Amino acid sequence: MSRNIIITGGAGFIGSHVVRLFVNKYPEYKIINLDKLTYAGNLANLCDVEQKPNYKFVRMDICDYEGVLHLMQEEQVDGIIHLAAESHVDRSIKDPFTFARTNVMGTLALLQAAKTYWDSLPEKYEGKRFYHISTDEVYGALQMDGTLFTEDTKYQPHSPYSAAKASSDHFVRAYHDTYGMPTIVTNCSNNYGPYQFPEKLIPLFINNIRHRRPLPVYGKGQNVRDWLYVEDHARAIDTIFHRGNVAETYNIGGFNEWKNIDIVRLLVATTDRLLGRPEGADEDLITYVTDRAGHDLRYAIDSRKLQRELGWEPSLQFEEGIEKTVRWYLDNQEWLDNVTSGEYEKYYENMYSKR
Ligand code: NAD
Ligand code: TYD
């Protein structure tokens, strides 16, 4: 069956993996990557698919209700996979308004555009899907007591980022409960892998180790995150988009909890080894710095519902995934240099006019 799907945020980290998977796996689909190309959006993440006939890029802000509605009508869109967001907690602490605008108002604009377009069709919501990608951070923080976030855990966001994502999740569910829109929400744990913007822990530290720059560990490095390889998340999104039940929530995670300081040591050992340096030699780069404001202690996801109901499982062990990831960043220094220098942004200013 042919489908016309908008993937928002497809030029970002996770979105680019989802676009690549869908374009390659479903040649009969038309995949429209709708992205504003903020600092976090980079079309170089998709250079291997941009020439494919079933792929189209549109530079657009998700807050542009009229633009999104027009695009949906023009392309007869029957599915939306929504990843576009401001995604970095530290930035949200400095600039919460941008997070409310994109994550809350942008999601609302998308929902309303989808509703308006689908309401105008004779078959209405039949065969349609609005799939919203969210985060485990909406559930707040866990203690070091072995408990896990389930789909029923109460929302208790602490950062402006997670508060904005929580709000967008509520709007998505409200569109199902009020209008009958066929929505799905998933909440995933921390992702890692190729093409992640080097402001997040793993790519930032790999790049710093390579250049022998300090590794700024917040607080005492005791915070725990639950890590999932990004391609495993993309596979989960594929499974849930096609086989998930409307109005359901699915948690996505790999039962893979790590203290930050242990990850940092693993990154140092792996990067040193792959660069031919004595393993662990760069541990003296570790620098403990002032803790992040409101730093959530621990995240950990119970993803048994997804495994039980849809048969999805993570494919990679963490050490294997980290090795692949470090190797990728070391082999793609040009990508990193381009991103850290901001060169790619100037290029897009000339290529695409902003809406
Ligand atoms: P990212 O910051 O790497 O990419 C975000 C993308 O959205 C960029 O391409 C950016 O240009 C685009 N974008 C931002 N504002 C936009 C706007 N107003 N209009 C159109 N496009 C816009 O983010 P990511 O890490 O790939 O995360 C993608 C999604 O997954 C987010 O919704 C995030 O909350 C969620 N998520 C991320 C993680 C993680 O560990 N990275 C974990 C769970 C859930
Ligand atoms: P990050 O990659 O920003 O993801 P999130 O905040 O969404 O979990 O951070 C992962 C963990 O690493 C988090 O506990 C904060 C910590 N961290 C540092 O200690 N130093 C850093 O420079 C960064 C970016 C993060």
Side-chain angles (χ1 to χ4, degrees), residues 9 11-15 34-38 40-41 60-62 83-87 101-102 133-135 161 165 188-191 196 200:
F13 166 47
I14 303 171
L34 186 166
D35 198 297
K36 182 182 175 183
L37 299 181
T38 67
M60 193 179 283
D61 189 331
I62 53 167
L83 296 108
E86 291 290 338
S87 70
R101 180 187 178 275
T102 288
I133 310 300
S134 192
T135 165
Y161 163 64
K165 290 295 292 187
C188 188
S189 59
N190 284 58
N191 285 214
Q196 187 167 31
K200 305 274 170 70

Side-chain angles (χ1 to χ4, degrees), residues 4 19 22 44 62 81 87 113 152 158 185 189 231 236 264 297 346:
N4 301 325
V19 167
F22 273 67
I62 53 167
I81 304 178
S87 70
D152 297 322
H158 294 132
V185 177
S189 59
E231 288 180 2
V264 173
L297 181 63
K346 290 179 209 146

Side-chain angles (χ1 to χ4, degrees), residues 88-90 137 190 199-201 204-205 216-218 223 225 227 260 292 295 299:
H88 190 42
V89 174
D90 293 325
E137 304 193 24
N190 284 58
E199 63 185 351
K200 305 274 170 70
L201 180 76
L204 175 72
F205 278 32
V217 174
Y218 298 160
N223 304 65
R225 296 292 181 265
W227 293 90
N260 289 344
R292 171 186 280 173
H295 197 172
Y299 304 142

Side-chain angles (χ1 to χ4, degrees), residues 72-97:
M72 288 195 71
Q73 289 164 336
E74 196 175 70
E75 298 289 353
Q76 299 177 23
V77 169
D78 53 26
I80 296 183
I81 304 178
H82 175 36
L83 296 108
E86 291 290 338
S87 70
H88 190 42
V89 174
D90 293 325
R91 284 181 189 254
S92 82
I93 294 169
K94 294 199 186 89
D95 178 18
F97 280 106

Side-chain angles (χ1 to χ4, degrees), residues 13-14 17 188-197 200-204 206 225-234 253-254 256-258 263 266-267 314-329:
F13 166 47
I14 303 171
H17 289 275
C188 188
S189 59
N190 284 58
N191 285 214
Y192 70 100
Y195 300 113
Q196 187 167 31
F197 195 83
K200 305 274 170 70
L201 180 76
I202 288 179
L204 175 72
I206 296 170
R225 296 292 181 265
D226 182 355
W227 293 90
L228 182 68
Y229 192 66
V230 62
E231 288 180 2
D232 281 333
H233 188 189
N256 180 43
E257 292 180 52
W258 283 73
I263 294 196
L266 178 64
L267 288 174
S315 69
L316 274 189
Q317 288 297 314
F318 191 57
E319 285 82 352
E320 198 186 341
I322 283 292
E323 169 114 12
K324 261 177 99 161
T325 302
V326 173
R327 216 180 265 285
W328 188 87
Y329 286 100

Side-chain angles (χ1 to χ4, degrees), residues 9 11 13 18 30-31 71 75 92 94 97-98 142-143 157-158 162 182 184 195 217 248 250 252 263 283 302 314 319:
F13 166 47
V18 178
K30 182 163 187 185
I31 302 301
L71 182 66
E75 298 289 353
S92 82
K94 294 199 186 89
F97 280 106
T98 303
L142 294 166
Q143 294 304 308
H158 294 132
S162 54
I184 295 188
Y195 300 113
V217 174
E248 291 277 344
Y250 299 91
I252 310 174
I263 294 196
E283 281 206 9
D302 181 346
E319 285 82 352

